[in-house]
Amino acid sequence: MKVAPDAPARAPASTPAASTSGRGSSLSGGRLIVAGIVIAIVAGVALRFVTRSDLWLDEALSVNIAKLPLDQLREALRHDGAPPLYYLLLHGWIQVFGSGDVAVRALSGVFSVATLPIAWWCGQRLGGRRLGWVAVLVFVSSPYAIRYATESRMYSMQMFLVLAGYLALVRALERPALGRLALVAVIASALMYTQYWSMYLLAVVGIGLVFRAVRAPTLDERRAARSVIVAMIAAGITFLPWLTTFQYQLAHTGTPWGDPILPTSGFADSIIGFAGGADHSEAFVFLLPILLLPLLALFGRAVDNRRVELDLHTVPGIRWELAAAVGGLGLGLMAAYAGGTAFEARYAAIAFPLFALAIAYGTLVFADRRLFVGVVVVVTILGFGGGARAAYEQRTQASQSADYIRAHARPGDVVVYCPDQLAPDTSRLLAGGPRLTQFTFPSFDSPKFVDWVDYADRNRRTDPAVFARKTLQRAGRRTIWYVNVEGYRNVIGKCDAVGAALAAARPGAVARVAPDNDLFEFMGLTEYPAR
């Protein structure tokens, strides 16, 4: 990373207006711009705290783990595969604000809002106040940032830490005072304890620091880099108490719910995710500016109000930030593919903050003020188009099954989930209804959790006919409510086989909810009547 921000100087200086009417027009335009920025910030902040969706699997699972007593947290996470910091914070948050949908998601919203002033500082350092406000607009309208601001998961917190860490790193390289170095160490440690993919970004930054410690042009710059390396090593030492749990998770959890993909596909999925997701048509419109602007930031330079020249050697400004973003994400994708683990666009949260800065920086190549403002407005509006959908769309079908069960089940009825991944969010919605017996395929576990330890092997060893027979024994003469869907990896064919065995023993089964695969998480409900 660089010691000091490169001078923006990407566009020629503008000529002061000569007439009073020109100044008046400029003032009027300035007021409109200020009003537009205020409206965008208010709208973006509001979208981070409003969502009509029920919690989906990962969110409900996070809340259930966070609600456990602290002395049970490590063991629960051994079976989940995640680091502890977000869960510790969510545990305390729940103690104060409760565990309702709005309450648990608000923690992510707070982290996302807290990212906005940091985005301003980062943009201001890179290219002055103008770029600071553009960076805020990119972040505040981003469908990717809004999506994870409205989920009770750690990704909004991770984006906050990445951007705060970038700012802390640049300041430490400028002047490696003890306080600044300590802040770098604290943020690096927090990133490792928040989401494991952060390690790939930290590794790439570490490589860059080593290069700088050896090749920087001045002795002071080399010494500063060495000091920051020491801070990063200190951060690594703080991870040692968690190391045995991390090793166990590596050996036994992973991502049994998905298949590995090529790194190139992962990059494509990440960019589409930044634009709002492949399921949304507006994302493909937004793809053009979020691809073009970082490239212009890296290679473009304004010649005059009408022309931009390209320098294939890259121009100063954002090159190190983009290198860290692309390098960290690329390293993670290659490691995931080599290790046979899956990838989802949410893991690209390690790269998004720096990528968003590059989007903002790319607007500086437009020397004409009207064109510059127009590009920023288009990016902001297109971002909000996907952001509004991200905030308001329903993400799970769980409520349809839960509503029907609550309305028709009797105390003592049995609810069975196949696979177990359908259980945490559905069972959460059944709380407060009739007293029911609930368990999951393959191990008759609590519906509140999913045990990812050796998940594929446990599913492979489970005989659907035996599971169905034991289910019938537990149900006795009670109604069985079967929440299920086919197609989940490592369970393919199993859930249908369980359903067929239940139907053979309980004639008259009725499908009450049909799976709706237009939703992010879909499922069906079948009733096997009491005998």
Side-chain angles (χ1 to χ4, degrees):
M1 309 294 282
K2 52 184 173 291
V3 176
D6 295 298
R10 309 231 8 206
S14 56
T15 303
S19 67
T20 303
S21 61
R23 288 196 296 270
S25 175
S26 177
L27 287 172
S28 177
R31 292 191 187 100
L32 286 175
I33 290 172
V34 170
I37 291 172
V38 171
I39 291 170
I41 291 174
V42 170
V45 169
L47 285 174
R48 282 159 168 77
F49 295 96
V50 292
T51 176
R52 70 182 185 89
S53 177
D54 302 303
L55 270 62
W56 69 283
L57 163 65
D58 283 6
E59 295 183 274
L61 189 55
S62 296
V63 172
N64 291 341
I65 292 173
K67 289 170 69 175
L68 291 171
L70 291 181
D71 60 358
Q72 298 178 25
L73 187 61
R74 180 188 286 262
E75 183 60 26
L77 291 176
R78 275 167 60 90
H79 292 260
D80 180 74
L85 183 56
Y86 171 76
Y87 297 88
L88 286 168
L89 294 178
L90 185 58
H91 177 90
W93 186 269
I94 289 172
Q95 298 300 308
V96 177
F97 299 104
S99 58
D101 290 5
V102 174
V104 296
R105 284 172 166 157
L107 177 59
S108 295
V110 168
F111 274 115
S112 191
V113 171
T115 304
L116 300 178
I118 301 176
W120 188 90
W121 279 108
C122 292
Q124 191 270 339
R125 291 178 62 88
L126 282 167
R129 293 173 60 87
R130 180 175 65 165
L131 184 57
W133 289 115
V134 177
V136 170
L137 290 173
V138 170
F139 274 95
V140 82
S141 63
S142 162
Y144 188 83
I146 292 171
R147 167 66 190 263
Y148 294 107
T150 57
E151 283 200 355
S152 57
R153 294 290 284 160
M154 69 285 293
Y155 302 105
S156 185
M157 177 180 173
Q158 186 182 26
M159 286 185 264
F160 166 80
L161 289 171
V162 168
L163 208 59
Y166 164 73
L167 190 57
L169 176 63
V170 172
R171 284 168 52 81
L173 288 172
E174 289 175 346
R175 185 168 63 85
L178 182 60
R180 295 185 177 194
L181 294 171
L183 184 58
V184 170
V186 168
I187 294 175
S189 177
L191 278 166
M192 289 186 287
Y193 275 108
T194 298
Q195 217 280 335
Y196 291 138
W197 269 66
S198 300
M199 294 181 182
Y200 300 122
L201 177 63
L202 293 173
V204 169
V205 171
I207 292 170
L209 288 170
V210 170
F211 178 83
R212 186 182 183 89
V214 175
R215 299 291 301 274
T218 70
L219 179 59
D220 286 345
E221 290 174 335
R222 294 194 293 273
R223 285 175 174 172
R226 292 164 191 164
S227 298
V228 176
I229 290 172
V230 172
M232 299 279 282
I233 292 172
I237 292 172
T238 67
F239 193 74
L240 292 179
W242 189 256
L243 187 58
T244 55
T245 301
F246 177 55
Q247 291 172 328
Y248 181 86
Q249 292 169 330
L250 279 179
H252 296 283
T253 57
T255 58
W257 41 262
D259 295 306
I261 61 174
L262 289 169
T264 49
S265 297
F267 268 115
D269 288 350
S270 299
I271 301 300
I272 294 172
F274 295 164
D279 294 334
H280 303 148
S281 58
E282 63 269 18
F284 293 94
V285 179
F286 195 30
L287 270 177
L288 178 61
I290 70 169
L291 281 172
L292 181 61
L293 288 172
L295 291 174
L296 289 175
L298 190 59
F299 298 108
R301 180 184 291 108
V303 176
D304 54 35
N305 283 0
R306 297 176 56 189
R307 292 178 297 170
V308 173
E309 69 175 13
L310 299 180
D311 183 350
L312 296 183
H313 288 289
T314 74
V315 296
I318 202 74
R319 56 165 70 120
W320 293 110
E321 290 78 3
L322 270 176
V326 174
L329 181 58
L331 180 61
L333 287 167
M334 288 186 288
Y337 184 71
T341 58
F343 173 78
E344 289 289 337
R346 56 184 177 267
Y347 299 161
I350 61 169
F352 175 74
L354 300 177
F355 190 83
L357 287 180
I359 294 173
Y361 200 90
T363 63
L364 295 184
V365 301
F366 300 105
D368 182 86
R369 183 173 182 269
R370 291 169 299 179
L371 183 57
F372 165 78
V373 171
V375 168
V376 174
V377 168
V378 167
V379 169
T380 304
I381 290 175
L382 290 177
F384 273 127
R389 184 195 285 266
Y392 282 100
E393 71 177 352
Q394 180 61 259
R395 297 168 192 171
T396 175
Q397 201 175 354
S399 62
Q400 295 181 29
S401 295
D403 288 348
Y404 195 92
I405 293 171
R406 285 173 64 96
H408 298 90
R410 295 181 178 181
D413 283 358
V414 171
V415 182
V416 185
Y417 302 91
C418 185
D420 47 4
Q421 297 172 54
L422 306 178
D425 50 351
T426 309
S427 63
R428 174 183 171 87
L429 296 172
L430 289 174
R435 194 182 178 101
L436 304 168
T437 299
Q438 302 182 62
F439 50 80
T440 64
F441 181 92
S443 304
F444 294 94
D445 289 333
S446 164
K448 293 183 177 180
F449 306 100
V450 175
D451 185 359
W452 296 112
V453 171
D454 302 328
Y455 188 79
D457 290 340
R458 285 190 296 111
N459 279 285
R460 193 177 302 113
R461 291 195 303 265
T462 301
D463 185 338
V466 172
F467 181 88
R469 184 170 65 250
K470 291 181 178 180
T471 297
L472 291 164
Q473 291 171 353
R474 294 190 182 199
R477 294 183 175 276
R478 298 289 186 179
T479 298
I480 298 173
W481 303 92
Y482 188 45
V483 181
N484 79 300
V485 72
E486 272 299 321
Y488 276 63
R489 186 173 183 258
N490 293 313
V491 198
I492 292 175
K494 299 273 186 175
C495 296
D496 275 354
V498 170
L502 293 175
R506 292 278 186 96
V510 182
R512 298 300 185 184
V513 175
D516 180 2
N517 57 12
D518 287 335
L519 296 176
F520 177 69
E521 181 182 64
F522 54 92
M523 63 194 73
L525 172 66
T526 302
E527 177 185 356
Y528 297 92
R531 297 185 61 182

